[in-house]
Amino acid sequence: MAERPTPDLTSPAMRAALLRGLTTRRSLMTGALGVGATAALAACGSAPRGGGTASASASATAKAAQDMSDTEKVVNWSNWTQYIDVSEDEKSRPSLDAFTKETGIKVNYTEDYNDNDEFYAKVRPLLEGGQDTGRDVWCSTDWMVARLIRQGYVQPLDYANVPNGQANLEDSLKNVEFDPGRKFSLPWQSGFAGIAYNLDATGGKKIETMTQLLTDPALKGKVTLLSEMRDTVGLVLCEMGKDPASFTADDFDAAIAMIQKAKEAGQLKGFTGNDYTDGLTKGDIAACVAWTGDVVQLQFENDKVAYTLPQAGFTLWSDNFVIPALAKHKKNAEKLIDYYYQPTVMAEVEAWVNYIPPVKGTKEELAKIDEELASNTLIVPTADVLSRAKVFRGLSAEEETSYARAFSDLTSS
């Protein structure tokens, strides 16, 4: 990776990075199962072993409430922290304000989605008891969407209210395993997991494979992996020549064994959420598994931070709009989703969050805001980059429990 030029402090991207303080949608992820990469920019058709399935075909029927959208001009949206555009004074969210001005619908936007499992624990008792959650829409990661569909906790979308979503969704996102045909969900943002490294800490050496990350003596004790099972294990599966979209239980065990060997050899400094950012910038961490959104932001501050998307493959994930059972303002929620599926609107969001947009035409609109961001393949991937992106398949309930236990034993022992 070539060194980046000195960043323009007046650019929208740089101002956004400074405002964020490198706090991203992944800052507070600590769930036992993780928020991994059952990702969506490449379709997958394999079913989990053990008889389970994450597809919509196995879903229960979600309950619908009387829709109050026509008489109550409001929509209640729960989302991850620091995951939408904000004004420079951080007192408003421009795209939300524009939506309200255009439609007359007030958005009660709450940043109370800190972790998939934590959020699920809050809403499940209500959904299970046939009660309204008080939310009309939220954004869950792919594997959690699979669970919500399977349990009948989310409603199908009415595309008569979401024509932009139907027309502008990227083709590669249209037929995902956990929701074929996108009956229940539409992506909000996506991102990759790859390898980040500090060129000062590696002596100028590029770190380009998971084997190198896990075995190179020059990195001993200065490597961290993600505490998100699907990202860390997914990258190792790719390195082993296995497809995370169709791996077996034996493949999973072999990936765990490869990581365990590196741990026992003293190669690993530990497992982290995105708290690797400070250590990576300082060089205390020489190399690590990292998320693209974090790295794009770090590179504005430190041109010694480099990033590799391994040739063997890498994982990616999406967070997706879903409308819960018994939501009282379903049509308003669908209008909100539709609004963000306009390329001009999504570009405004991307200039701030720096993840991967799911909306066709966003690149061209983003270029009008910041040409450097629009040419960054971590934000707007090329066909070659996407061809190497891998999907961590949907898991059955039994697999979720078994694999999470094995990964927890690895990370905590």
Side-chain angles (χ1 to χ4, degrees):
M1 175 181 289
E3 288 192 5
R4 294 169 63 93
T6 301
D8 177 5
L9 296 177
T10 66
S11 74
M14 188 59 190
R15 293 199 306 268
L18 294 173
L19 281 172
R20 270 190 301 265
L22 300 178
T23 301
T24 73
R25 153 259 193 269
R26 296 232 165 203
S27 294
L28 300 175
M29 294 187 182
T30 56
L33 293 177
V35 184
T38 324
L41 290 184
C44 164
S46 61
R49 295 175 73 246
T53 179
S55 72
S57 62
S59 66
T61 301
K63 296 179 181 179
Q66 180 180 357
D67 196 341
M68 305 299 292
S69 293
D70 290 338
T71 56
E72 296 180 0
K73 296 299 183 181
V74 65
V75 61
N76 300 302
W77 179 10
S78 285
N79 204 0
W80 302 81
T81 59
Q82 304 290 331
Y83 209 25
I84 198 170
D85 55 306
V86 299
S87 61
E88 291 189 38
D89 61 7
E90 298 188 83
K91 293 182 179 179
S92 66
R93 299 180 176 94
S95 64
L96 288 181
D97 292 343
F99 171 76
T100 298
K101 183 177 180 180
E102 179 179 311
T103 64
I105 300 170
K106 177 184 177 183
V107 183
N108 293 320
Y109 184 81
T110 308
E111 294 181 320
D112 62 345
Y113 203 124
N114 294 323
D115 171 87
N116 279 288
D117 284 319
E118 175 191 295
F119 188 83
Y120 178 75
K122 289 190 292 188
V123 299
R124 180 178 179 176
L126 297 169
L127 294 166
E128 198 170 36
Q131 300 177 55
D132 175 26
T133 65
R135 301 166 175 89
D136 300 305
V137 63
W138 64 64
C139 296
S140 288
T141 309
D142 302 307
W143 63 268
M144 180 56 72
V145 175
R147 182 190 296 178
L148 294 169
I149 293 172
R150 187 173 66 236
Q151 295 177 332
Y153 289 160
V154 290
Q155 299 186 60
L157 298 171
D158 181 353
Y159 277 96
N161 299 321
V162 198
N164 288 324
Q166 192 166 47
N168 295 336
L169 176 63
E170 289 284 359
D171 291 340
S172 55
L173 288 159
K174 289 181 177 179
N175 194 39
V176 292
E177 177 211 17
F178 62 88
D179 187 11
R182 287 291 180 182
K183 182 179 179 182
F184 296 91
S185 66
L186 277 170
W188 166 241
Q189 301 291 320
S190 301
F192 297 130
I195 301 170
Y197 53 100
N198 184 310
L199 287 165
D200 284 340
T202 66
K205 180 188 295 185
K206 296 180 179 179
I207 312 302
E208 298 181 313
T209 70
M210 287 299 292
T211 296
Q212 185 182 7
L213 186 73
L214 295 175
T215 63
D216 189 336
L219 305 177
K220 187 172 182 178
K222 292 187 175 183
V223 170
T224 62
L225 305 179
L226 289 172
S227 57
E228 306 300 339
M229 178 188 73
R230 289 160 175 83
D231 289 325
T232 291
V233 173
L235 280 162
V236 174
L237 285 169
C238 290
E239 183 75 358
M240 294 166 49
K242 305 296 182 179
D243 189 346
S246 57
F247 67 91
T248 67
D250 288 342
D251 295 334
F252 182 87
D253 291 343
I256 292 293
M258 184 173 176
I259 300 169
Q260 182 68 43
K261 183 177 180 180
K263 181 179 179 179
E264 291 174 354
Q267 186 76 358
L268 305 184
K269 184 180 179 71
F271 295 82
T272 72
N274 78 338
D275 47 328
Y276 59 77
T277 55
D278 186 58
L280 181 62
T281 300
K282 294 178 179 177
D284 297 334
I285 296 172
C288 61
V289 176
W291 291 302
T292 48
D294 292 335
V295 174
V296 170
Q297 295 160 30
L298 287 174
Q299 288 177 331
F300 282 119
E301 293 192 341
N302 187 340
D303 63 7
K304 296 302 181 181
V305 173
Y307 196 70
T308 295
L309 293 171
Q311 287 297 319
F314 46 89
T315 60
L316 55 79
W317 47 266
S318 291
D319 293 324
N320 307 271
F321 287 112
V322 291
I323 297 175
L326 297 171
K328 292 182 178 180
H329 309 100
K330 182 174 185 286
K331 184 164 69 172
N332 289 347
E334 290 166 341
K335 288 181 177 179
L336 177 76
I337 297 169
D338 190 63
Y339 170 76
Y340 280 100
Y341 266 75
Q342 299 175 84
T344 53
V345 177
M346 184 55 70
E348 294 173 8
V349 175
E350 296 310 330
W352 203 86
V353 303
N354 299 162
Y355 283 102
I356 301 171
V359 179
K360 291 179 181 178
T362 302
K363 178 180 180 179
E364 292 75 16
E365 296 300 325
L366 185 58
K368 298 174 184 178
I369 301 172
D370 191 301
E371 291 184 359
E372 184 179 358
L373 284 180
S375 63
N376 189 326
T377 57
L378 300 183
I379 298 172
V380 186
T382 63
D384 174 66
V385 170
L386 286 177
S387 71
R388 291 182 283 125
K390 303 296 181 179
V391 177
F392 197 104
R393 66 171 174 80
L395 302 178
S396 67
E398 293 78 11
E399 286 176 321
E400 278 194 279
T401 300
S402 173
Y403 293 169
R405 182 183 299 116
F407 191 68
S408 178
D409 290 344
L410 172 67
T411 59
S412 61
S413 61

